Coordinates of all heavy atoms in Angstrom, one line a residue:
D27 N 18.6 2.0 -3.2 CA 20.0 1.7 -3.5 C 20.9 2.9 -3.4 O 22.1 2.7 -2.9 CB 20.1 1.0 -4.8 CG 19.3 -0.3 -4.9 OD1 19.0 -0.9 -3.9 OD2 19.0 -0.7 -6.1
E28 N 20.5 4.0 -3.9 CA 21.4 5.2 -3.9 C 21.2 6.2 -2.8 O 22.1 6.9 -2.5 CB 21.2 5.9 -5.3 CG 21.5 4.9 -6.5 CD 22.9 4.4 -6.5 OE1 23.8 5.1 -6.1 OE2 23.1 3.2 -7.0
V29 N 20.0 6.3 -2.3 CA 19.7 7.3 -1.3 C 19.6 6.6 0.1 O 19.8 7.3 1.1 CB 18.4 8.0 -1.6 CG1 18.0 9.0 -0.6 CG2 18.5 8.7 -3.0
G30 N 19.3 5.3 0.1 CA 19.2 4.6 1.4 C 17.9 4.7 2.1 O 17.8 4.6 3.3
A31 N 16.8 5.0 1.3 CA 15.5 5.2 1.9 C 15.0 3.9 2.5 O 15.1 2.8 1.9 CB 14.5 5.7 0.9
T32 N 14.4 3.9 3.7 CA 13.8 2.8 4.4 C 12.4 3.0 4.8 O 11.7 2.1 5.3 CB 14.7 2.3 5.6 OG1 14.8 3.4 6.5 CG2 16.1 1.9 5.1
R33 N 12.0 4.3 4.8 CA 10.6 4.7 5.2 C 10.0 5.4 4.0 O 10.6 6.2 3.4 CB 10.6 5.6 6.4 CG 9.4 5.4 7.3 CD 9.7 5.8 8.7 NE 8.6 5.2 9.6 CZ 7.8 5.9 10.4 NH1 7.9 7.2 10.4 NH2 6.9 5.3 11.2
W34 N 8.7 5.2 3.8 CA 8.1 5.6 2.5 C 6.7 6.3 2.7 O 5.9 5.8 3.3 CB 7.9 4.4 1.6 CG 9.2 3.7 1.4 CD1 9.7 2.7 2.2 CD2 10.1 3.9 0.3 NE1 11.0 2.3 1.7 CE2 11.2 3.0 0.5 CE3 10.2 4.7 -0.8 CZ2 12.3 3.0 -0.3 CZ3 11.2 4.7 -1.7 CH2 12.3 3.8 -1.4
V35 N 6.6 7.5 2.0 CA 5.3 8.1 1.9 C 4.9 8.0 0.4 O 5.6 8.4 -0.5 CB 5.4 9.6 2.2 CG1 4.1 10.3 2.0 CG2 5.9 9.8 3.6
L36 N 3.7 7.4 0.2 CA 3.1 7.3 -1.1 C 2.0 8.3 -1.2 O 0.9 8.1 -0.6 CB 2.6 5.9 -1.4 CG 3.6 4.7 -1.1 CD1 2.9 3.4 -1.4 CD2 4.8 4.9 -1.9
A37 N 2.2 9.4 -1.8 CA 1.3 10.5 -1.9 C 0.8 10.7 -3.3 O 1.5 10.8 -4.2 CB 2.0 11.8 -1.4
G38 N -0.6 10.7 -3.4 CA -1.1 10.8 -4.8 C -2.5 11.5 -4.9 O -3.1 11.7 -3.9
T39 N -2.8 11.9 -6.1 CA -4.2 12.4 -6.3 C -5.1 11.2 -6.4 O -4.8 10.1 -6.8 CB -4.2 13.1 -7.7 OG1 -3.2 14.1 -7.7 CG2 -5.5 13.7 -8.0
D40 N -6.3 11.4 -5.9 CA -7.3 10.3 -5.7 C -8.0 9.9 -7.0 O -9.1 10.3 -7.3 CB -8.3 10.7 -4.6 CG -9.1 9.5 -4.2 OD1 -8.8 8.4 -4.6 OD2 -10.1 9.7 -3.4
Y41 N -7.3 9.1 -7.8 CA -7.9 8.5 -9.0 C -7.2 7.2 -9.3 O -6.3 6.8 -8.5 CB -8.0 9.4 -10.1 CG -6.7 9.8 -10.8 CD1 -6.4 9.3 -12.1 CD2 -5.8 10.6 -10.3 CE1 -5.3 9.6 -12.8 CE2 -4.6 10.9 -10.9 CZ -4.3 10.4 -12.2 OH -3.2 10.7 -12.8
V42 N -7.5 6.6 -10.4 CA -7.1 5.2 -10.7 C -5.5 5.1 -10.8 O -5.0 4.1 -10.2 CB -7.7 4.6 -11.9 CG1 -7.4 5.5 -13.2 CG2 -7.4 3.2 -12.1
Y43 N -4.8 6.0 -11.4 CA -3.4 5.8 -11.6 C -2.6 5.8 -10.2 O -1.9 4.8 -10.0 CB -2.8 6.9 -12.5 CG -1.3 7.0 -12.4 CD1 -0.5 6.0 -12.8 CD2 -0.7 8.1 -11.9 CE1 0.9 6.1 -12.7 CE2 0.7 8.2 -11.8 CZ 1.5 7.2 -12.2 OH 2.8 7.3 -12.1
P44 N -2.8 6.8 -9.4 CA -2.1 6.7 -8.1 C -2.5 5.5 -7.2 O -1.6 4.9 -6.6 CB -2.4 8.0 -7.4 CG -2.8 8.9 -8.5 CD -3.5 8.1 -9.5
R45 N -3.8 5.2 -7.2 CA -4.2 4.1 -6.3 C -3.7 2.8 -6.8 O -3.2 1.9 -6.0 CB -5.7 4.1 -6.2 CG -6.3 5.2 -5.3 CD -7.7 5.0 -4.9 NE -8.2 5.9 -4.0 CZ -8.1 5.8 -2.6 NH1 -7.5 4.7 -2.1 NH2 -8.5 6.7 -1.8
T46 N -3.7 2.5 -8.1 CA -3.2 1.3 -8.6 C -1.7 1.2 -8.6 O -1.1 0.2 -8.2 CB -3.7 1.0 -10.1 OG1 -5.1 1.1 -10.1 CG2 -3.2 -0.3 -10.6
T47 N -1.0 2.3 -8.9 CA 0.4 2.3 -8.8 C 0.9 2.1 -7.4 O 1.9 1.4 -7.1 CB 1.0 3.7 -9.4 OG1 0.6 3.8 -10.8 CG2 2.5 3.7 -9.3
N48 N 0.3 2.8 -6.5 CA 0.7 2.7 -5.1 C 0.4 1.3 -4.5 O 1.1 0.8 -3.7 CB 0.0 3.7 -4.2 CG 0.6 5.1 -4.4 OD1 1.7 5.2 -4.9 ND2 -0.2 6.1 -4.0
K49 N -0.7 0.6 -5.0 CA -0.9 -0.8 -4.7 C 0.2 -1.7 -5.1 O 0.7 -2.5 -4.4 CB -2.2 -1.2 -5.3 CG -2.7 -2.6 -5.0 CD -4.0 -3.0 -5.7 CE -4.5 -4.3 -5.4 NZ -5.8 -4.6 -6.1
I50 N 0.7 -1.4 -6.4 CA 1.9 -2.1 -6.9 C 3.1 -1.8 -6.0 O 3.9 -2.7 -5.7 CB 2.1 -1.8 -8.4 CG1 0.9 -2.3 -9.2 CG2 3.4 -2.4 -8.9 CD1 0.9 -1.8 -10.6
L51 N 3.3 -0.5 -5.8 CA 4.5 -0.1 -5.0 C 4.5 -0.6 -3.6 O 5.5 -1.1 -3.1 CB 4.6 1.4 -5.0 CG 5.0 2.1 -6.3 CD1 5.1 3.6 -6.2 CD2 6.3 1.6 -6.9
E52 N 3.3 -0.6 -3.0 CA 3.2 -1.2 -1.6 C 3.6 -2.7 -1.6 O 4.3 -3.1 -0.7 CB 1.8 -1.0 -1.1 CG 1.6 -1.4 0.4 CD 0.2 -1.2 0.9 OE1 -0.7 -0.9 0.1 OE2 0.0 -1.3 2.1
A53 N 3.1 -3.4 -2.6 CA 3.4 -4.8 -2.7 C 4.9 -5.0 -2.9 O 5.6 -5.9 -2.3 CB 2.6 -5.5 -3.8
Y54 N 5.5 -4.2 -3.8 CA 6.9 -4.2 -4.1 C 7.7 -3.9 -2.8 O 8.7 -4.6 -2.5 CB 7.2 -3.3 -5.2 CG 8.7 -3.4 -5.7 CD1 9.2 -4.5 -6.3 CD2 9.6 -2.3 -5.4 CE1 10.5 -4.6 -6.7 CE2 10.9 -2.4 -5.9 CZ 11.3 -3.5 -6.5 OH 12.6 -3.6 -6.9
L55 N 7.4 -2.9 -2.1 CA 8.1 -2.5 -0.9 C 8.1 -3.6 0.1 O 9.1 -3.9 0.8 CB 7.5 -1.2 -0.3 CG 7.8 0.1 -1.1 CD1 7.0 1.2 -0.5 CD2 9.3 0.4 -1.1
K56 N 6.9 -4.2 0.3 CA 6.8 -5.3 1.3 C 7.6 -6.5 0.9 O 8.2 -7.2 1.7 CB 5.3 -5.7 1.5 CG 4.6 -4.6 2.3 CD 3.1 -5.0 2.5 CE 2.4 -3.9 3.3 NZ 0.9 -4.2 3.4
S57 N 7.7 -6.7 -0.5 CA 8.5 -7.9 -0.9 C 10.0 -7.6 -0.6 O 10.8 -8.5 -0.6 CB 8.3 -8.1 -2.4 OG 9.0 -7.1 -3.2
K58 N 10.4 -6.3 -0.4 CA 11.7 -5.9 -0.1 C 12.0 -5.9 1.4 O 13.0 -5.4 1.9 CB 12.1 -4.6 -0.7 CG 12.1 -4.6 -2.3 CD 13.3 -5.4 -2.8 CE 13.4 -5.2 -4.3 NZ 14.6 -5.9 -4.8
G59 N 10.9 -6.3 2.2 CA 11.1 -6.3 3.6 C 10.6 -5.1 4.4 O 10.8 -5.0 5.6
V60 N 10.0 -4.1 3.7 CA 9.5 -2.9 4.3 C 8.2 -3.2 5.1 O 7.3 -3.9 4.6 CB 9.2 -1.8 3.3 CG1 8.7 -0.5 4.0 CG2 10.5 -1.4 2.5
K61 N 8.1 -2.8 6.4 CA 7.0 -3.0 7.3 C 5.9 -2.1 7.0 O 6.1 -0.9 6.5 CB 7.4 -3.0 8.7 CG 8.6 -3.9 9.1 CD 8.3 -5.4 8.8 CE 9.5 -6.2 9.3 NZ 9.2 -7.7 9.0
D62 N 4.7 -2.5 7.4 CA 3.5 -1.6 7.3 C 3.7 -0.2 7.9 O 3.3 0.8 7.4 CB 2.2 -2.3 7.9 CG 1.7 -3.3 7.0 OD1 1.9 -3.3 5.7 OD2 0.9 -4.2 7.5
A63 N 4.3 -0.3 9.1 CA 4.5 0.9 9.9 C 5.5 1.9 9.2 O 5.5 3.1 9.6 CB 5.1 0.6 11.3
D64 N 6.2 1.5 8.2 CA 7.1 2.3 7.5 C 6.6 2.8 6.1 O 7.3 3.2 5.3 CB 8.5 1.6 7.3 CG 9.2 1.5 8.6 OD1 9.2 2.5 9.4 OD2 9.9 0.5 8.9
I65 N 5.3 2.6 6.0 CA 4.6 3.0 4.7 C 3.4 3.9 5.1 O 2.5 3.5 5.8 CB 4.1 1.8 3.9 CG1 5.3 0.9 3.5 CG2 3.5 2.4 2.6 CD1 4.9 -0.3 2.8
M66 N 3.4 5.2 4.6 CA 2.3 6.1 4.8 C 1.7 6.4 3.4 O 2.4 6.7 2.5 CB 2.8 7.4 5.4 CG 1.8 8.6 5.4 SD 2.6 10.1 6.1 CE 1.4 11.3 5.6
I67 N 0.4 6.3 3.3 CA -0.3 6.5 2.1 C -1.3 7.6 2.2 O -2.1 7.6 3.2 CB -1.0 5.2 1.6 CG1 0.0 4.1 1.4 CG2 -1.7 5.5 0.2 CD1 -0.6 2.7 1.0
N68 N -1.3 8.6 1.3 CA -2.2 9.7 1.4 C -2.7 10.1 0.0 O -2.0 10.1 -1.0 CB -1.5 10.9 2.0 CG -2.4 12.1 2.0 OD1 -2.4 12.9 1.1 ND2 -3.1 12.3 3.1
Y69 N -4.0 10.4 -0.1 CA -4.6 10.8 -1.4 C -5.4 12.1 -1.2 O -6.0 12.3 -0.2 CB -5.6 9.7 -1.9 CG -4.9 8.4 -2.3 CD1 -5.1 7.3 -1.4 CD2 -4.2 8.3 -3.4 CE1 -4.5 6.1 -1.7 CE2 -3.6 7.1 -3.7 CZ -3.7 6.0 -2.9 OH -3.1 4.8 -3.2
T70 N -5.3 12.9 -2.2 CA -6.0 14.2 -2.2 C -6.8 14.3 -3.5 O -6.5 13.7 -4.6 CB -5.1 15.4 -2.1 OG1 -4.0 15.2 -3.1 CG2 -4.4 15.4 -0.8
P71 N -7.9 15.1 -3.5 CA -8.7 15.3 -4.8 C -8.0 16.1 -5.8 O -7.0 16.8 -5.5 CB -10.0 16.0 -4.3 CG -9.6 16.7 -3.0 CD -8.5 15.8 -2.4

């Protein structure tokens, strides 16, 4: 709403909190009309 972002990088450490939160965020973004191609997900140890 304030920055105008339409493309998203979900970057997290590889454990339960980032994976579950990003699962929620991915579903939320798609409910807002964001396409798969505009979502990048990355995890690191």
